[in-house]
Amino acid sequence: MMQPNSNELEQVVKIHKALGEQTRYKIIQILSGESNLCPADLESRLVTVALSTLSHHLKQLYDCGLLTSQKKGTYIYYSLNTETAQKFVPYLLNK
């Protein structure tokens, strides 16, 4: 197994810090099965998370590279960045 370079190592640490929080881990689990969800869709599936808190979690996951986003009108839709997940946390894709 190859050792990650310094940029990859930094990203690995960010990803694992992000996934260390239960709500963010649940978001990734949801998005690993379904893509292009807006925050309201995620909020209804998570039940106990307020939309303002959810935005914070989505930003953390986006910033570490686990999510992609696409703006359609006034809504932003999120999907799992499968390339990043496959490279750094492949167990998330195994169902």
Side-chain angles (χ1 to χ4, degrees):
M1 186 169 150
M2 292 181 58
Q3 292 295 318
N5 65 40
S6 62
N7 289 338
E8 288 177 333
L9 185 58
E10 185 176 328
Q11 186 172 16
V12 168
V13 170
K14 284 182 182 180
I15 287 170
H16 286 278
K17 279 183 179 180
L19 293 174
E21 203 284 326
Q22 186 176 3
T23 300
R24 291 193 283 267
Y25 188 83
K26 287 180 183 177
I27 292 167
I28 292 300
Q29 285 184 311
I30 292 167
L31 289 172
S32 70
E34 191 175 350
S35 58
N36 293 318
L37 296 179
C38 69
D41 294 331
L42 289 164
E43 180 187 33
S44 68
R45 286 170 173 81
L46 294 167
V47 184
T48 59
V49 178
L51 198 53
S52 60
T53 305
L54 181 59
S55 295
H56 168 74
H57 291 307
L58 290 169
K59 181 179 179 348
Q60 293 289 316
L61 292 167
Y62 181 83
D63 287 349
C64 75
L66 279 175
L67 297 184
T68 60
S69 66
Q70 182 178 14
K71 187 169 180 152
K72 295 179 185 174
T74 58
Y75 294 98
I76 297 176
Y77 294 85
Y78 292 92
S79 296
L80 180 66
N81 182 338
T82 52
E83 184 179 317
T84 299
Q86 186 65 48
K87 183 173 182 176
F88 296 110
V89 282
Y91 64 86
L92 290 174
L93 302 173
N94 297 332
K95 289 202 168 213

